[in-house]
Structure formats: C-alpha cells, structure tokens
Amino acid sequence: MSSNQGNLGAFNFKVVLLGEGCVGKTSVVLRYIEDKFNDKHISTIQASFLTKKLNISGKRINLAIWDTAGQERFHALGPIYYRDSHGAILVYDITDEDSFQKVKNWVKELRKMLGTRVCVCIAGNKADLERDRVVSREEASRYAESVGAKHYDTSAKQNHGIEEMFLDLSQRMVEVAEQNEQGQAQLRPSGSTVQVIDDSEKPEKTGCCS
Amino acid sequence: MHLDCGIQESRPDMIEMIDEAITYIVEVDSKRAPQYKLSCIVKCAKQIFSVLLESKARSLMLDSESSASSVTNSADYFLPALIYVVLKANPTRLYSNISYISRFCNPKRLMTGEGGYYFTNLCCAVGFIERIEASSLNLSEEEFERYMSGEVLPPGGGWEGGVWLCEGMRLLRQNTKALHDLSQREEKLFTHAVELKQEMLLFQGGDGIVLGNLDGCGYVSGREDGERVGETGVQEVDSHKDREVVRTNVFSNGAIMYEGKDGGVSKSQVKSVWWRVRACEGGVSRVGATDQGVVGVVQEGGD
C-alpha cells in the first residue's frame, strides 16, 4: 500500500467496478468520466479502463477505474481483478433482486480477500426506473452499513448520485491511505526499500535501449 | 461462438483487424524488456477495442434496436474478445511471458496503469482458458465433450470457411482421418497376408510360378522326343499314385505339387533341366489332360 502516494504527493488509487452483467457498470463510469469528454469522444474511447484526476482539499488523487466482465462465467476470475485495489464499487440493478444478491457475494469475497483495507461503495443503479424497483432502498442501505460500506442510489441515465459516490469513495480511500502511511512509518523506520527498487529500474532501462 | 464476444468473424476486413490484434499479442514474445512486452499487450487490447467498435457499428447498421454504442467498450465485451484473440493467436510462451512480466515489471506501474489493467485482463483470459469447462461456455456436458474431441466443429460462418479453422482443430481432423486410413490399410494388409500365407502353403513345393494345374490328376508324365522323361520324374510321380490327389500343380522350376484329398501336400521335383525349360516354354496352355487323365507338360511328340 506504500504505492498510494506516488511522485509529487499524489494519491494513486485503483478502483474496481464489480457487479453482474447488464447492471450498468460501464454506464456509471462513463457518466462519471463524461465531464471531461464529450459524447463523440466517448463512443470512440474504450470504457473498461479509465482514469480521473481529482483534487480534494488540496490533495491530488488519480483514480484508475477498472471495469470488469460481469458475466457469471467470469466470476472465478474476480480475485485477479481486485487484487491490490483500494476501492471497489459494487453495482446492482434496483429492478433485479439477483444482482443485489451478487453484490452481497462480492462483499463477502472482498472482505475475505482484502479485509478492511478496501473501501466499498454499493450502487443501486437504474434509479430512474423507480416504479420497477424490487430491492428496497432501506434494505440495501442497512445491508451496506452492516458491512461497512456506503450505499448510493445512482442513475447513469439521469446523472444522479454518481459524482457523490466517487467523491465519497475517494475521500475514504485517502483516509485509509493516510492511516496506512502513518502505520507503516511507525512500523518501518527506514522506508527506503521501495525506493531502491524503483531507482534500479531506470539504469536497466537505458541499458536495454542502447 | 459461445463466448458471445460480438465479433463478426466472417467478414474479411474483420479478419484482417483481428489478425492485427493477433500479431500484437504474438509479438510479446519477441520483445525483451517487460515494459515493451506490456506495451504490445496494450496495443493488442486497443486493437480489440477497435474491432469491437467496428463490429458494433456494423450490427447497428443492420439492427437499429441495439443498445447505445458506448456500452460496447465495456469489459463485458472486451474480456470475451480477448479470450477469443488469445485462443486464435496461441502465442508462443504466453505463460512464461506473463510470469516474466509479473516478476520483472515495476509493480507500481504494473498494478495501476493502463498496461496493468490489460495485463490483468490477459491473466484473466488465460485463467479462464485454463479452467474452461462446459458450464463456462453455456454448453451441455456432452456438447462440450464433442467439441473438445473434435467430433463436431463449431458452427458459424468463419469456421466453415476453413480459412479460420483453428490450426489445432485442422490437425486434429487430419490426424483422425489419417488414422482411419491407416487402420483400413492395415486391415487390408492383414487379409492380404492371410491370403499370401494360404498361397504359400500351396506353393510350398517350389518357388516358381504355377504353370498350370489340373484337378483330379494323379501324376505327371512327359516325353522327350517320344521317350519318357528321366526316370526320376516318373518314379517320383508314381509314388504319388497311391494318394488320392485332388489337384496337381506344375511349377516352372520343375516342381510338381500334389494336393491330396486329406489336405496334405506332397511334392516331387523333375530334375531334368530340359524338362524345366520345356515346362516353362510350354506355358499354361500346354498343361492339360491327356486321354489317360494325366497332366502333360511336353509339347513335342505329345501323349
């Protein structure tokens, strides 16, 4: 986790998007990033790996958002995706009870594999389809709270709740990272080992090129 | 294709685009430094995205009810497409290259950047292929078995064309056919061998060709300018008189073989070279029954 704070004091966070297929993971992230790009650009860029630069109270944050394939057949590959991630956004469809069950599975798995280091947000997407809702907001919120996550109603279509969700997640990730930094600083008197590895790569690179 | 990756593999220009992606992923092995390997993977991924986009654009033209084009680029489509490309490409030392990159690439760059993302996807693709099973392809157990054994070929335009037939599958089919051919030939050979063995049993008397034979003949006699051929021959022949012979074979080298009714075979040899020569010259037509029921092999001064 020492890699959070990269050069120039910016935080680099990896955020994975998890959820069943067709719940709108990609739409959510596209809506979020869209502020920077116009519609035409969106259709030509790929949307499965996106980055976003944020500035929260003077702290620079680089978000790398990883979209994942949601089909059930790829479920077993999850650990490869969320390894070393700092945050996770679990998306479900409020009109689909199954997708909410999937989210619960993901939470269990994440907590088991990554513990509390990972910040989790649960997004009830397609909030614009309120009349078809089958997952109650109270139930979802209560569940989210019980697992130490935040629940958001989002609508990628109407651009609702997404900005807040990412902002909150980023803030929490900063908190966790700062706690970690402190914890590690106490545990490890000389924190230069990582630096050494980083430096050693540069001469090696020039050697290869020449 | 059961991966549902949305690639229209039948179109020639599509194939070209996919080929380009395959070229990139194959190139990984030729690069030395991990970051170059990684950049090949990124290039391959980018190419896959353009393939997906192109596919989508085409299907949009055909079917206006398709959902928004922006969703095409999601990982839901990308990963299956990547798996498809990896399967098609079958890159050299893929596993070693992955291990190499994960060991020697700067972890900070590997785990956070774009390259890391695509690398992770590649790991996922490999992971998926490793533990591929019927349920992960939405196939029944039997169907899956049949595909895996090469008994049936996957449907779909591209596969039927033969151009896109995966090399392994093609080889598999070829080998199955060759094996079938071989077993047929072996069977044929075996029956031939059995026939030959039977003939050899018949030919046991001599190693020449059969000049002629006559069913039911008791002995062979011949004349040389009106004289009986050397006594040996006659004597030998006579000794077979007691036997109830059902078939007499005369060979070009002078051997005479009698097949007895009891299935036994006895033979005699006419020692005279002249006789042999004569026998040869006489040919099959000269071998015939005389009025006494003998096989005459002599031409001149016949019986």
Side-chain angles (χ1 to χ4, degrees):
Chain A
M1 289 292 161
S2 53
S3 62
N4 292 343
Q5 209 142 12
N7 9 332
L8 308 166
F11 289 93
N12 291 309
F13 291 130
K14 171 180 161 183
V15 178
V16 281
L17 280 168
L18 299 168
E20 207 184 353
C22 303
V23 294
K25 294 188 297 292
T26 314
S27 306
V28 166
V29 68
L30 271 180
R31 174 57 84 177
Y32 179 58
I33 307 289
E34 219 167 324
D35 293 338
K36 291 260 175 187
F37 299 97
N38 61 36
D39 277 338
K40 272 176 190 164
H41 274 127
I42 282 300
S43 59
T44 53
I45 61 153
Q46 49 80 18
S48 59
F49 176 82
L50 290 165
T51 53
K52 173 108 175 166
K53 283 191 168 73
L54 287 179
N55 202 329
I56 302 176
S57 53
K59 289 174 189 121
R60 266 176 301 167
I61 296 162
N62 296 321
L63 289 184
I65 303 163
W66 291 34
D67 194 6
T68 61
Q71 291 96 319
E72 179 58 35
R73 62 175 81 156
F74 298 130
H75 185 91
L77 306 171
I80 310 178
Y81 276 117
Y82 56 66
R83 187 175 54 197
D84 291 331
S85 59
H86 307 98
I89 292 175
L90 310 176
V91 189
Y92 71 92
D93 181 347
I94 62 161
T95 68
D96 181 0
E97 173 68 31
D98 271 355
S99 67
F100 186 59
Q101 291 305 322
K102 278 276 163 51
V103 163
K104 289 183 176 178
N105 290 343
W106 279 117
V107 170
K108 267 186 223 146
E109 218 180 300
L110 281 172
R111 289 290 180 228
K112 199 172 131 202
M113 307 297 287
L114 300 175
T116 50
R117 284 174 298 159
V118 62
C119 306
V120 179
C121 270
I122 297 174
N125 198 30
K126 307 196 185 175
D128 47 293
L129 300 171
E130 186 62 45
R131 59 199 159 87
D132 296 323
R133 179 189 277 276
V134 291
V135 182
S136 92
R137 186 177 298 156
E138 290 72 34
E139 188 200 335
S141 299
R142 225 179 306 124
Y143 173 73
E145 221 168 294
S146 71
V147 293
K150 274 243 172 97
H151 178 264
Y152 285 90
D153 264 346
T154 61
S155 166
K157 194 175 174 187
Q158 294 168 350
N159 196 4
H160 168 76
I162 294 168
E163 185 79 39
E164 293 97 301
M165 178 174 69
F166 275 96
L167 196 68
D168 170 67
L169 185 69
S170 306
Q171 280 168 339
R172 276 160 56 205
M173 285 192 296
V174 170
E175 280 170 31
V176 170
E178 281 176 345
Q179 279 173 11
N180 270 333
E181 291 283 306
Q182 285 167 4
Q184 268 170 3
Q186 284 166 2
L187 282 171
R188 198 166 34 124
S190 64
S192 58
T193 30
V194 177
Q195 223 84 47
V196 172
I197 293 164
D198 193 25
D199 289 345
S200 67
E201 186 149 304
K202 277 167 193 165
E204 184 195 8
K205 197 170 130 195
T206 49
C208 281
C209 296
S210 65
Chain B
M1 180 133 184
H2 294 280
L3 283 169
D4 305 322
C5 57
I7 291 178
Q8 293 164 331
E9 45 190 336
S10 51
R11 295 165 182 277
D13 49 340
M14 271 301 151
I15 292 174
E16 243 166 71
M17 289 178 82
I18 298 167
D19 267 341
E20 209 173 312
I22 289 174
T23 313
Y24 286 131
I25 197 149
V26 168
E27 219 174 80
V28 169
D29 191 52
S30 66
K31 302 288 185 212
R32 209 173 293 166
Q35 65 265 36
Y36 298 143
K37 286 185 192 287
L38 210 53
S39 73
C40 283
I41 296 171
V42 174
K43 271 193 230 159
C44 170
K46 294 263 158 84
Q47 182 64 23
I48 289 172
F49 276 115
S50 30
V51 170
L52 287 174
L53 233 122
E54 188 70 16
S55 273
K56 192 68 184 183
R58 279 162 195 278
S59 62
L60 270 179
M61 275 193 288
L62 298 169
D63 173 21
S64 53
E65 280 171 39
S66 297
S67 49
S69 63
S70 58
V71 185
T72 329
N73 308 340
S74 78
D76 282 357
Y77 292 89
F78 173 69
L79 186 58
L82 182 67
I83 293 170
Y84 172 81
V85 167
V86 169
L87 283 175
K88 280 276 184 226
N90 190 14
T92 338
R93 289 182 288 206
L94 178 65
Y95 208 88
S96 307
N97 277 312
I98 287 177
S99 307
Y100 180 78
I101 295 171
S102 47
R103 268 179 212 155
F104 297 110
C105 218
N106 186 336
K108 200 188 287 178
R109 219 180 302 165
L110 186 67
M111 276 310 143
T112 50
E114 197 177 23
Y117 177 72
Y118 294 127
F119 179 68
T120 303
N121 267 291
L122 183 63
C123 294
C124 283
V126 172
F128 180 79
I129 294 166
E130 266 177 350
R131 59 195 114 155
I132 202 161
E133 53 184 22
S135 59
S136 54
L137 292 173
N138 294 338
L139 289 170
S140 75
E141 207 61 62
E142 302 97 71
E143 267 183 296
F144 180 73
E145 248 344 285
R146 275 162 67 213
Y147 281 127
M148 287 306 260
S149 62
E151 202 178 307
V152 281
L153 287 174
W159 293 85
E160 277 165 7
V163 191
W164 268 94
L165 204 63
C166 147
E167 183 65 15
M169 196 61 107
R170 200 181 60 76
L171 273 174
L172 186 81
R173 279 231 298 183
Q174 218 173 37
N175 289 347
T176 318
K177 214 180 139 197
L179 269 174
H180 187 69
D181 263 15
L182 275 175
S183 71
Q184 266 189 337
R185 283 167 66 180
E186 199 197 344
E187 222 169 274
K188 224 166 144 186
L189 192 72
F190 187 72
T191 51
H192 276 167
V194 169
E195 275 174 29
L196 192 69
K197 199 178 164 192
Q198 281 172 344
E199 276 175 34
M200 270 166 71
L201 212 73
L202 282 175
F203 283 24
Q204 244 169 3
D207 48 355
I209 54 159
V210 183
L211 280 179
N213 52 45
L214 203 69
D215 290 345
C217 280
Y219 59 95
V220 175
S221 70
R223 276 165 190 273
E224 183 188 332
D225 298 331
E227 296 254 338
R228 282 206 156 215
V229 181
E231 281 170 32
T232 333
V234 177
Q235 271 179 352
E236 287 281 310
V237 167
D238 283 349
S239 67
H240 293 283
K241 264 185 174 174
D242 311 333
R243 203 173 200 146
E244 213 182 332
V245 175
V246 288
R247 198 175 164 90
T248 310
N249 297 300
V250 182
F251 294 91
S252 59
N253 62 352
I256 297 162
M257 194 176 73
Y258 308 90
E259 289 174 49
K261 202 173 189 178
D262 52 354
V265 174
S266 49
K267 54 189 175 178
S268 62
Q269 182 78 31
V270 181
K271 283 178 181 140
S272 159
V273 176
W274 181 87
W275 173 279
R276 273 187 224 167
V277 171
R278 278 307 179 157
C280 288
E281 281 176 358
V284 178
S285 62
R286 303 297 176 202
V287 181
T290 64
D291 46 349
Q292 288 145 345
V294 289
V295 179
V297 194
V298 180
Q299 198 177 341
E300 286 93 357
D303 297 324

